[in-house]
């Protein structure tokens, strides 16, 4: 173990040292990644432009090699697919890298152009099945090779349903299943192989990866349809709107349904149709007020869903028509060629590098065709389901629920068809882990193959068939073939023909598998030094080439990348693309290591309630102006990377106004990393661990660490003293000297928020004492006042908790609890039930009123009003809690104005309390 590896030994490094180490490694990785990533984007963009322009009679591809001394623009579909797949992954993570910002228009163009260039391959227009196979032909590996086909299918699956379910998608799926089913080396020799070489776990895993990913998407789609069904059931349940609670739930369930439709858009053929329907439903909810009639709106929701089903039918019909051609014409044509001796069968065998065991080849191809046909039939059933739906009033709630169920069932059946089809190959890959572990344990380096072992681990992880302890042991054994310089010894070949032509996994191939195997297990640290050595190896081997000889990229001063390990001159595009993929996965691992430090260092909230589960406090406002609605919709904007999304808040209000609860709920809505929510709470104790003199050092550590983690929501709770208003002429103190640094660090954190998917929230009871510079644009996106529940909200909370109380009890409770803290009011509701009498309610109110300070204690203090601040907005929103009647609320404002009149240092005219009241009352649409 080298000196740089010492931090990975448990107990030998502090959290400060580990954080500094990993942050520096993250920055080094980004430096190594930047130029090769940009070069791949430029190459892919140029290839896409040529494909769109129709230049040439074959697919326009990136070059396999870039060498200014010996320009060799060999065509390789496999290399092109690997390179464009790497660009696809970069596009999906574009917000991580500031140096990609200028290329956003290019990446947006490539998002559509890359899959389109494959889908518009000239060969797909051929009427001859054998000619159509040229769409998956590679000069080195032949036609329908598992290597080429798996890379193309990966790209199509990531591009979305439109690409994966089309003609090329089904042709690629057929090719992969055909390769997985062949039993050309005996009935017990499972797995896929290249040409006549033996089956290997490495090649089999390459076939399985995109199929497993596609199957995961299918399962997610089924789950989302069921969620839409459940939410629709709730919408129907609450549409009667018999009380405040039901009207609130109706509106909030509409927002939830919109969120599900946005999620379905990501995995649909035409995402915009789902987004548009989601916005329609959002618009139905937006104008709702506490007394709005909700029953007439349920049919409008059903009409929007009915229209979406019609669009879904049209989407699928057009794409699946192409899939029908690929399945019924091309695949059957291939079966016909395999069954008929002659020159065309020989040409097919030569093109696909088939072993001439025609019976076995035919049986495997026939099985693969049946799987594709079964899956296609189920997908076509979805078209039929949507096509036969009744229109108008005949499209009832029951019909809509049945449609959701049928669409979910169809996706479940597709998931089962594909899962059963690959089951034996998955099991074979998993058994390969045991075999390779035994070879490594016996020190049989002749037969041991790290690529086989790591490929099997990744398949076992993705199908949940391996324990973490075995993963840890297996990864340790795989490290035996790593070199000290960061490269890896050559493993067993995945293809060998006549002992002359061979294909071996390269170092980037192996490290990509290693990083992928390590990523799901944050506690497995043994591979970290080897992954970082690989980054160092790449850093030392990066080369550049002048693209002037290749006149297609005139705006690029140089292209960067890595040479192959075969000592060929110039940049090897395949090696570069695989290295970029590996670096992206390693970057995710480094972010996980930094998150692990956060888990040790701060308070992590394990379970969080979503915003729809939090009781409202401002139901008197229009739905679109309510707090929960704003937070839910902003979270959706942030996930979709919309430019108007907010990433930082100050939540301010009197004690007990649900600030922390809302902050936790915001965390639940904002981000999900590997299906989990990351939320941490930071208090003054986290800043003062080293005492007052160490506060600045600790603050620097905290903000530096937070700026580099991913997908986290941070609540800075009760840190008012660290952000205290700086007073002119006040005696100097260490805290006051720290404040300017805190403000700058908060701005740095905000700058990183969009890039790293961070949301941070400050909670305070005294917004007037916070440094005003904090709330200026750039540091905090929005200062949000959190009032006590207004009368409409109190009524809703009472109905939810206590059920059907008598009318006189409800009216008494709502009228006698204005400006009650949210937590205390919920406690009161817990005491009440349908059997509670008015006398009991009066006694409960009397007792609980003694448990909190009345708001006058916080607001009727002239020192708080000596400057204009968000405190005005806070008080005005608090005044809304007095009554459902506007005059009663105005009276509360006038009472404060009367109190402040004539007080020294208070400029009542500047506060504009009454004007603010009228403005906010109108903005929120209160009746």
């Amino acid at each position: 173990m080298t000196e740089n590896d010492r931090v990975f030994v448990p107990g030998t490094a502090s959290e400060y040292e580990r954080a500094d180490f990993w942050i520096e490694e993250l920055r080094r990785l980004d430096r190594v990644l930047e130029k090769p990533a940009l070069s791949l984007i430029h190459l892919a963009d140029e290839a896409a432009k040529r494909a769109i322009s129709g230049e040439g009679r074959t697919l326009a591809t990136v070059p396999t090699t870039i060498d200014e001394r010996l320009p060799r623009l060999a065509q390789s579909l496999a290399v092109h697919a690997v390179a464009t797949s790497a660009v696809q992954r970069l596009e999906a993570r574009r917000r991580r890298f500031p140096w990609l910002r200028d290329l956003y228009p290019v990446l947006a163009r490539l998002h559509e152009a890359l899959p389109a260039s494959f889908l518009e391959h000239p060969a797909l227009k051929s009427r001859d099945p054998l000619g159509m196979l040229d769409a998956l032909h590679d000069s080195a590996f032949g036609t329908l090779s598992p290597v080429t086909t798996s890379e193309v299918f990966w790209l199509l699956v990531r591009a979305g349903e439109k690409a994966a379910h089309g003609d090329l998608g089904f042709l690629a799926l057929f090719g992969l299943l055909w390769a997985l089913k062949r039993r050309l080396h005996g009935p017990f020799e499972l797995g896929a192989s290249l040409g006549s070489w033996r089956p290997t776990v490495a090649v089999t895993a390459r076939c399985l990866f995109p199929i497993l990913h596609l199957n995961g998407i299918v399962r997610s789609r089924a789950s989302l349809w069921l969620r839409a069904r459940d939410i629709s059931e709730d919408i129907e349940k609450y549409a009667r709107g018999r009380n405040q609670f039901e009207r609130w739930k109706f509106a909030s369930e509409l927002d939830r349904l919109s969120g599900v439709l946005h999620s379905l858009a990501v995995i649909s053929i035409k995402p915009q149709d789902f987004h548009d329907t989601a916005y329609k439903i959002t618009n139905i909810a937006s104008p709702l007020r506490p007394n709005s009639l909700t029953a007439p709106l349920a049919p409008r929701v059903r009409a929007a869903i009915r229209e979406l089903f019609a669009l879904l039918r049209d989407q699928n019909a057009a794409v699946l028509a192409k899939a029908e051609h690929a399945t019924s014409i091309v695949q059957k044509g291939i079966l016909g060629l395999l069954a008929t001796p002659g020159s065309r069968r020989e040409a097919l065998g030569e093109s696909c590098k088939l072993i001439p065991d025609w019976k076995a080849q035919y049986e495997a191809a026939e099985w693969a065709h049946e799987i594709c046909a079964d899956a296609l039939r189920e997908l076509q059933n979805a078209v039929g389901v949507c096509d036969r739906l009744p229109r108008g009033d005949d499209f009832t709630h029951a019909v809509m629920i049945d449609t959701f169920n049928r669409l979910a069932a169809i996706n479940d059946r597709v998931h089962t068809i594909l899962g059963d089809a690959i089951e034996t190959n998955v099991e074979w890959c998993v058994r390969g882990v045991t075999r390779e572990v035994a070879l490594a344990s016996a020190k049989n380096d002749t037969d041991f193959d790290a690529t086989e072992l790591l490929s099997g681990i990744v398949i076992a992880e993705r199908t949940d068939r391996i324990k973490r302890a075995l993963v840890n042991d297996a990864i340790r054994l795989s490290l035996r073939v790593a070199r000290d310089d960061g490269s890896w010894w050559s493993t067993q070949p995945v293809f060998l023909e006549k002992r002359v032509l061979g294909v071996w996994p390269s170092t980037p191939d192996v490290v990509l598998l290693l990083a992928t195997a390590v990523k799901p297990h944050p506690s497995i640290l043994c591979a970290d030094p080897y992954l970082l050595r690989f980054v160092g190896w790449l850093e030392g081997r990066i080369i550049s080439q002048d693209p002037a000889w290749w006149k297609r990229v005139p705006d690029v001063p140089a292209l960067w990348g890595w040479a192959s390990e075969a000592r060929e001159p110039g940049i090897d595009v395949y090696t570069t693309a695989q290295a970029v993929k590996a670096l992206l996965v390693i970057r995710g691992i480094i972010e996980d290591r930094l998150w692990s430090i956060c888990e040790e260092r701060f308070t992590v909230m394990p379970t969080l309630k979503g915003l729809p589960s939090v009781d409202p406090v401002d139901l008197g406002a229009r739905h679109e102006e309510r707090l929960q609605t704003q937070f839910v919709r902003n979270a959706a904007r942030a996930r979709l990377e919309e430019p108007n999304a907010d990433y930082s808040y100050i939540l301010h209000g009197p004690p007990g106004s649900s600030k922390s609860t809302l902050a936790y709920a915001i965390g639940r809505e904002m981000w999900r990393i590997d299906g989990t929510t990351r939320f941490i709470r930071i208090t003054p104790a986290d800043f003062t661990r080293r005492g007052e003199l160490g506060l600045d050092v600790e603050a620097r550590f905290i903000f530096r660490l937070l700026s580099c983690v991913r997908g986290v929501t941070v609540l800075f709770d009760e840190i008012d003293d660290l952000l205290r208003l700086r007073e002119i002429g006040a005696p100097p103190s260490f805290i006051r000297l720290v404040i300017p640094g805190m403000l700058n660090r908060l701005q740095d954190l905000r700058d990183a928020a969009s890039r790293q998917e961070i949301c941070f929230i400050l909670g305070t009871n005294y917004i007037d004492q916070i440094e005003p510079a904090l709330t200026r644009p750039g540091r905090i996106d929005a200062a949000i006042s959190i009032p006590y529940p207004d009368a409409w909200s109190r009524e809703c909370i009472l109905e939810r908790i206590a059920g059907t109380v008598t009318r006189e009890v409800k009216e008494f409770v709502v009228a006698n609890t204005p400006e009650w803290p949210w937590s205390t009011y919920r406690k009161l509701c817990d005491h009440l039930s349908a059997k509670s009498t008015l006398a009991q309610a009066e006694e409960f109110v009397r007792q609980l009123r003694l448990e909190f300070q009345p708001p006058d204690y916080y607001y009727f203090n002239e020192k708080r009003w000596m400057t204009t601040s968000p405190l005005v907005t806070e008080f005005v929103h608090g005044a809304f809690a007095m009554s459902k009647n506007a005059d009663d609320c105005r009276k509360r404002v006038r009472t404060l104005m009367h109190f402040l009149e004539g007080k020294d240092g208070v400029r009542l005219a500047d506060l504009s309390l009454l004007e603010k009241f009228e403005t906010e009352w109108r903005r929120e649409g209160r009746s």
Side-chain angles (χ1 to χ4, degrees):
M1 189 160 292
T2 67
E3 176 65 19
N4 286 336
D5 299 336
R6 64 183 178 85
V7 297
F8 301 98
V9 179
T12 62
S14 69
E15 59 194 24
Y16 306 99
E17 293 175 307
R18 284 184 290 135
D20 287 343
F21 178 86
W22 284 117
I23 291 171
E24 289 306 314
E25 288 298 324
L26 188 67
R27 291 174 176 172
R28 178 174 72 135
L29 185 147
D30 285 352
R31 289 194 301 269
V32 174
L33 175 65
E34 179 178 357
K35 291 180 178 178
L38 294 174
S39 298
L40 284 178
I41 292 171
H42 289 303
L43 292 173
D45 186 39
E46 178 53 39
K49 288 177 182 177
R50 285 186 287 135
I52 293 173
S53 67
E55 180 180 330
R57 300 177 63 184
T58 60
L59 176 68
T61 65
V62 301
T64 57
T65 308
I66 300 172
D67 183 6
E68 60 193 43
R69 294 166 296 179
L70 183 61
R72 290 177 295 169
L73 298 180
Q75 299 292 304
S76 171
L77 188 65
V79 173
H80 180 66
V82 170
T84 51
S85 177
V87 172
Q88 217 176 25
R89 296 193 190 193
L90 283 165
E91 192 269 336
R93 296 165 176 79
R94 62 189 179 277
R95 68 193 304 170
R96 296 278 180 280
F97 308 109
W99 37 266
L100 281 179
R101 195 162 293 128
D102 292 340
L103 289 179
Y104 274 14
V106 175
L107 291 171
R109 183 169 65 247
L110 291 177
H111 180 78
E112 299 293 336
L114 291 180
S117 65
F118 287 87
L119 297 171
E120 298 300 324
H121 194 293
L124 292 174
K125 301 175 183 178
S126 172
R127 296 180 177 272
D128 177 22
L130 192 57
M132 286 191 67
L133 291 182
D134 285 343
L136 290 171
H137 174 77
D138 182 80
S139 56
F141 295 105
T143 303
L144 279 184
S145 160
V147 171
T148 307
T149 306
S150 63
E151 290 296 339
V152 172
F153 196 50
W154 250 130
L155 184 137
L156 297 179
V157 169
R158 287 199 180 96
E161 190 176 350
K162 180 178 180 180
H165 290 183
D167 47 4
L168 185 60
F170 266 84
L171 185 59
L173 177 62
F174 167 77
L176 294 177
L177 293 172
W178 186 12
L180 291 169
K181 187 62 176 178
R182 295 167 187 156
R183 302 289 181 264
L184 305 174
H185 299 270
F188 304 106
E189 190 70 67
L190 306 179
S193 62
L194 294 177
S196 60
W197 188 238
R198 60 178 176 81
T200 64
V201 176
V203 173
T204 305
R206 288 191 111 163
C207 295
L208 292 175
F209 289 154
I211 298 176
L212 287 171
H213 188 73
L214 174 64
N215 225 18
I217 292 174
V218 171
R219 183 171 53 188
S220 296
R221 188 182 297 116
S223 176
L224 287 169
W225 283 127
L226 292 179
R227 282 179 57 194
R229 176 204 64 188
D230 293 342
I231 294 170
S232 297
E233 290 278 32
D234 286 340
I235 290 172
E236 184 72 11
K237 174 182 175 182
Y238 297 120
R240 288 169 288 184
R242 295 170 298 184
N243 53 40
Q244 288 304 326
F245 174 68
E246 287 195 352
R247 290 191 285 275
W248 156 245
K249 289 297 292 182
F250 178 82
S252 61
E253 292 301 307
L254 291 182
D255 282 334
R256 289 185 63 206
L257 181 58
S258 295
V260 170
L261 294 178
H262 283 306
S263 297
L264 278 165
V266 178
I267 51 178
S268 70
I269 289 177
K270 193 175 178 184
Q272 195 57 47
D273 288 343
F274 281 83
H275 287 312
D276 289 344
T277 304
Y279 293 135
K280 286 181 183 178
I281 293 174
T282 295
N283 291 335
I284 292 174
S286 291
L288 290 177
R289 290 180 169 87
N291 286 331
S292 296
L293 295 177
T294 53
L297 301 181
R300 289 178 56 190
V301 176
R302 287 199 298 274
I305 297 298
R306 173 64 180 83
E307 183 180 351
L308 175 63
F309 286 150
L311 294 170
L312 186 64
R313 174 203 60 204
D314 296 339
Q315 295 173 12
N316 282 276
V319 172
L320 295 181
K322 294 184 177 181
E324 176 71 29
H325 179 264
T327 304
S328 300
I329 305 301
V330 181
Q331 294 177 17
K332 285 186 177 180
I334 294 173
L335 292 176
L337 291 176
L338 291 172
T340 307
S343 59
R344 283 178 60 79
R345 184 171 74 175
E346 296 301 323
L348 175 65
E350 182 178 350
S351 175
C352 297
K353 299 187 182 296
L354 301 177
I355 296 176
D357 183 345
W358 299 115
K359 180 181 178 181
Q361 294 284 6
Y362 178 84
E363 291 175 349
E366 184 180 40
W367 173 85
H369 167 68
E370 290 175 357
I371 298 300
C372 290
D374 289 346
L376 177 59
R377 215 164 12 247
E378 291 296 340
L379 295 173
Q380 288 172 329
N381 285 340
V383 176
V385 167
C386 296
D387 191 47
R388 293 188 293 271
L389 292 177
R391 299 178 181 275
D393 294 339
D394 292 334
F395 184 71
T396 62
H397 172 72
V399 173
M400 181 175 67
I401 295 302
D402 179 65
T403 306
F404 283 136
N405 283 327
R406 294 175 71 179
L407 291 174
I410 287 170
N411 281 277
D412 281 335
R413 288 196 292 273
V414 172
H415 179 268
T416 300
I417 290 169
L418 295 179
D420 290 348
I422 62 176
E423 174 64 23
T424 55
N425 286 280
V426 169
E427 286 290 345
W428 185 72
C429 289
V430 174
R431 290 199 301 271
V433 174
T434 305
R435 180 185 65 247
E436 296 300 330
V437 166
L439 291 172
S441 300
K443 301 189 183 320
N444 183 354
D445 292 339
T446 302
D447 296 320
F448 172 67
D449 189 340
T451 306
E452 295 284 284
L453 176 58
L454 293 169
S455 298
I457 291 172
V458 175
I459 293 297
E461 287 175 336
R462 295 192 177 181
T463 54
D464 197 23
R465 304 183 192 214
I466 193 168
K467 301 291 185 182
R468 192 202 64 82
L470 179 55
V471 174
N472 187 53
D473 292 342
I475 288 176
R476 285 185 180 277
L477 291 171
S478 72
L479 301 175
R480 298 177 61 227
V481 293
R483 295 189 180 106
D484 289 339
D485 68 346
S487 64
W488 287 61
W489 293 99
S490 296
T491 57
Q492 301 290 339
V494 294
F495 175 70
L496 197 62
E497 185 176 19
K498 299 177 182 179
R499 303 189 181 186
V500 176
L501 177 63
V503 176
W504 282 263
S506 64
T507 291
D509 291 322
V510 181
V511 175
L512 176 58
L513 285 169
L514 174 64
T516 305
V518 169
K519 182 68 174 66
H521 303 282
S523 60
I524 295 180
L525 308 176
C526 59
D528 290 358
Y530 300 86
L531 295 174
L532 298 183
R533 289 177 197 168
F534 169 73
V535 176
W537 179 72
L538 292 177
E539 186 177 29
R541 297 181 72 249
I542 192 168
I543 59 175
S544 65
Q545 294 287 315
D546 182 0
W549 59 271
W550 197 38
K551 303 187 184 300
R552 301 187 187 278
V553 283
D555 297 330
V556 182
L559 295 173
W560 296 77
W562 293 280
S564 72
E565 293 172 80
R567 296 187 179 181
E568 290 186 340
I571 296 171
D572 183 76
V573 174
Y574 176 87
T575 298
T576 301
Q578 289 294 86
V580 166
K581 290 182 184 179
L583 288 172
L584 290 174
V585 181
I586 294 171
R587 193 183 196 280
I589 292 173
I590 294 176
E591 289 173 335
D592 288 343
R593 300 295 177 261
L594 291 167
W595 170 245
S596 296
I597 298 172
C598 290
E599 290 182 301
E600 297 173 20
R601 182 66 174 75
F602 308 119
T603 301
V604 178
M605 308 303 295
T607 57
L608 304 170
K609 292 170 59 177
L611 280 165
S613 300
V614 177
D615 288 321
V617 295
D618 55 353
L619 276 190
R622 272 196 317 272
H623 184 67
E624 64 183 341
E625 297 295 338
R626 293 167 182 165
L627 290 173
Q628 276 101 322
T629 306
Q630 294 182 51
F631 292 139
V632 165
R633 295 180 182 180
N634 178 72
R637 290 194 296 270
R639 290 193 299 270
L640 294 172
E641 298 182 60
E642 294 183 7
N644 60 338
D646 293 334
Y647 297 87
S648 56
Y649 299 105
I650 292 182
L651 303 185
H652 58 95
S657 59
S658 72
K659 295 184 292 297
S660 295
T661 301
L662 278 172
Y664 299 152
I666 292 169
R668 175 68 176 268
E669 298 292 332
M670 288 295 290
W671 324 110
R672 287 292 180 93
I673 303 298
D674 299 327
T676 61
T677 300
R678 294 177 173 180
F679 188 98
I680 57 180
R681 178 173 176 263
I682 297 178
T683 66
D686 293 297
F687 288 94
T688 58
R689 290 179 62 184
R690 300 187 182 191
E692 186 177 278
L693 294 179
L695 193 150
D696 190 57
V697 174
E698 200 69 22
R700 187 184 306 117
F701 162 75
I702 289 173
F703 283 102
R704 187 165 183 249
L705 175 60
L706 293 178
S707 297
C708 296
V709 294
R710 177 188 169 219
V712 62
T713 302
V714 184
L715 172 61
F716 294 99
D717 205 8
E718 300 176 354
I719 65 167
D720 304 49
D721 284 342
L722 303 181
L723 302 167
R724 185 76 65 188
L725 174 66
R726 291 170 285 183
E727 299 177 14
I728 299 175
S733 71
F734 187 79
I735 292 292
R736 289 192 177 90
L737 295 175
V738 168
I739 289 173
M742 288 287 289
L743 297 179
N744 291 333
R745 290 180 187 118
L746 281 168
Q747 182 160 353
D748 292 341
L749 185 59
R750 176 58 185 85
D751 293 340
S754 175
R755 182 178 72 249
Q756 288 294 110
E757 294 176 79
I758 298 168
C759 175
F760 64 93
I761 303 165
L762 286 79
T764 179
N765 297 333
Y766 295 97
I767 186 64
D768 51 297
Q769 297 182 20
I770 296 294
E771 169 59 44
L774 175 64
T775 58
R776 73 169 178 80
R779 291 185 176 126
I780 298 295
D781 293 320
I784 307 292
S785 62
I786 312 297
Y788 291 146
D790 63 12
W792 307 99
S793 301
R794 296 198 297 277
E795 187 175 339
C796 171
I797 297 168
L798 178 62
E799 291 164 348
R800 181 187 70 80
I801 298 176
T804 308
V805 297
T806 64
R807 180 177 179 180
E808 61 179 1
V809 169
K810 180 189 293 187
E811 290 177 350
F812 171 80
V813 169
V814 172
N816 287 274
T817 53
E819 298 188 305
W820 272 44
W822 179 76
S823 53
T824 307
Y825 182 76
R826 292 179 72 239
K827 186 176 180 180
L828 168 65
C829 295
D830 287 334
H831 287 306
L832 298 172
S833 69
K835 297 181 181 180
S836 298
T837 65
L838 179 59
Q840 289 173 324
E842 291 173 345
E843 179 61 19
F844 290 143
V845 169
R846 186 188 64 79
Q847 292 176 0
L848 291 174
R849 185 174 279 126
L850 302 175
E851 293 190 2
F852 62 91
Q853 291 281 4
D856 288 5
Y857 176 82
Y858 302 101
Y859 294 121
F860 284 71
N861 178 350
E862 64 269 22
K863 293 182 179 179
R864 297 192 68 187
W865 298 97
M866 291 183 179
T867 59
T868 57
S869 71
L871 181 61
V872 174
T873 303
E874 179 184 313
F875 181 82
V876 163
H877 286 169
F880 294 166
M882 296 302 298
S883 169
K884 296 179 181 180
N885 185 283
D887 289 336
D888 293 338
C889 300
R890 287 190 189 92
K891 183 178 178 180
R892 175 65 170 163
V893 177
R894 289 193 175 101
T895 301
L896 177 64
M897 293 172 64
H898 180 72
F899 170 78
L900 295 176
E901 191 173 3
K903 293 292 192 294
D904 291 340
V906 178
R907 294 175 293 183
L908 191 57
D910 291 345
L911 294 177
S912 303
L913 280 160
L914 201 56
E915 291 83 350
K916 185 68 172 178
F917 175 91
E918 301 296 344
T919 300
E920 290 296 294
W921 188 272
R922 288 193 301 272
R923 183 184 65 80
E924 293 192 356
R926 291 178 174 267
S927 56

